[in-house]
Amino acid sequence: MKYPYIIIDDDHESVLKMQSAFDSFSNYFLLGTADNYDDAVNLVLEHNPKLIVLEIDPVNKESRLSLALINELHRFVKNMPRIIVLTKGKELAYEALKNEVFDYLLKPINIHELRKTIMKFERNVEDTPTTICIKSYGDYRFVDTDDIVYLQADNNSTDLYINNGDTITAFKTLKHFENTLPPQFVRIHNSYIINMSYVSRIHLGNNVVYIKNSKIQLPFSKSYKKNVDLIISLIANNDGKEL
């Protein structure tokens, strides 16, 4: 599984060091960085990462980076990302843990400590069930998320297309699934979310994504072009292996 993360830090050199450390772990990809409070909130709300690395003792106090950012996110985000706090001293780390952050790391970054944090994060994430329940008038369908090829919006319901050819209708919006499905599910259109594992081809000129072992072509819109570029980057960086 691929895990998207963002870095929130006003120290450019520190950001580069953190990104370099994460590069040692091939199943993590950087969605973006922010160096101030407002940009950080917008970045999280836009990309819905699974993991946030947050500096709470910034070089520039005008950046307003602090634990207060976590409280702000709680106002808008239903499923909060795991937050790893960066600090220069254990005093702030203690304050961070009282705010129920996932973990903390002391600067300068130690790759061995980061590895421990990542292992704990993945164990925590893997404890989350990969089977979802679709209820329809007393009929309960249990679906493994790995079997979902793509999802299509249909007014206030969503059709799930399964790799065995079945189609299941869920009385939930596409936005609901965008916020709850694992990271390999990416929204490419107002009407479509696709499982990256089933992408065989992307044609930028025609604005379509092709599904493996089928003739299905799904359109993507310009407003989600950034997500399509992300899919291309991830598949290319993974040497064509299944995500």
Side-chain angles (χ1 to χ4, degrees), residues 1-7 18-32 49-53 82 84 102 114-126 183 230 233-234 237-238 243:
M1 181 178 288
K2 291 280 188 177
Y3 301 105
Y5 74 98
I6 66 172
I7 301 173
M18 177 58 71
Q19 184 177 355
S20 176
F22 265 97
D23 285 344
S24 300
F25 306 94
S26 60
N27 52 334
Y28 289 80
F29 61 95
L30 181 65
L31 288 172
K50 296 299 179 184
L51 188 65
I52 296 174
V53 180
R82 307 298 197 279
I84 301 173
F102 180 74
L114 177 61
R115 178 174 287 106
K116 292 176 184 176
T117 295
I118 283 177
M119 291 176 68
K120 183 168 71 171
F121 167 75
E122 291 182 2
R123 184 182 63 187
N124 186 276
V125 169
E126 287 169 0
L230 176 63
S233 174
L234 288 174
N237 291 337
N238 207 43
L243 295 172

Side-chain angles (χ1 to χ4, degrees), residues 27 42 49 57-58 60 66 73-74 98 101 114 117 119 129 139-140 151 155 163 170 175 192 195 205 217 236:
N27 52 334
N42 288 331
D57 186 20
N60 179 8
S66 69
L73 293 178
H74 273 291
K98 288 201 300 183
V101 301
L114 177 61
T117 295
M119 291 176 68
D139 180 19
Y140 295 83
L151 302 89
N155 294 319
N163 59 8
K175 184 66 175 178
Y192 294 102
N195 184 341
Q217 302 176 29

Side-chain angles (χ1 to χ4, degrees), residues 18 40 58 90 121 134 137-138 147 159 165 177 196 203 224:
M18 177 58 71
K90 291 187 176 180
F121 167 75
I134 307 298
Y137 302 112
D147 294 335
D159 292 330
F177 289 103
M196 288 191 291
H203 197 298
Y224 290 97

Side-chain angles (χ1 to χ4, degrees), residues 58-72:
V59 175
N60 179 8
K61 300 304 179 183
E62 293 184 1
S63 69
R64 298 167 55 218
L65 297 182
S66 69
L67 290 170
L69 190 147
I70 300 174
N71 293 328
E72 179 75 357

Side-chain angles (χ1 to χ4, degrees), residues 48-184:
N48 191 31
K50 296 299 179 184
L51 188 65
I52 296 174
V53 180
L54 171 64
E55 169 62 80
I56 60 172
D57 186 20
V59 175
N60 179 8
K61 300 304 179 183
E62 293 184 1
S63 69
R64 298 167 55 218
L65 297 182
S66 69
L67 290 170
L69 190 147
I70 300 174
N71 293 328
E72 179 75 357
L73 293 178
H74 273 291
R75 294 177 55 203
F76 303 102
V77 180
K78 181 178 180 180
N79 299 306
M80 278 288 289
R82 307 298 197 279
I83 297 176
I84 301 173
V85 159
L86 293 177
T87 70
K88 298 181 181 69
K90 291 187 176 180
E91 299 79 13
L92 287 176
Y94 175 71
E95 289 299 316
L97 291 177
K98 288 201 300 183
N99 279 267
E100 299 182 349
V101 301
F102 180 74
D103 206 351
Y104 71 89
L105 293 171
L106 297 178
K107 290 185 174 181
I109 296 302
N110 182 305
I111 188 66
H112 303 300
E113 293 303 316
L114 177 61
R115 178 174 287 106
K116 292 176 184 176
T117 295
I118 283 177
M119 291 176 68
K120 183 168 71 171
F121 167 75
E122 291 182 2
R123 184 182 63 187
N124 186 276
V125 169
E126 287 169 0
D127 287 340
T128 303
T130 59
T131 299
I132 59 175
C133 177
I134 307 298
K135 178 184 176 182
S136 176
Y137 302 112
D139 180 19
Y140 295 83
R141 294 284 297 270
F142 301 97
V143 183
D144 192 319
T145 55
D146 287 341
D147 294 335
I148 302 172
V149 181
Y150 68 96
L151 302 89
Q152 181 177 2
D154 184 9
N155 294 319
N156 289 324
S157 63
T158 301
D159 292 330
L160 288 73
Y161 291 84
I162 313 302
N163 59 8
N164 65 359
D166 287 350
T167 301
I168 302 172
T169 298
F171 294 100
K172 299 284 187 179
T173 64
L174 200 64
K175 184 66 175 178
H176 165 81
F177 289 103
E178 183 181 15
N179 291 332
T180 57
L181 286 171
Q184 69 263 30

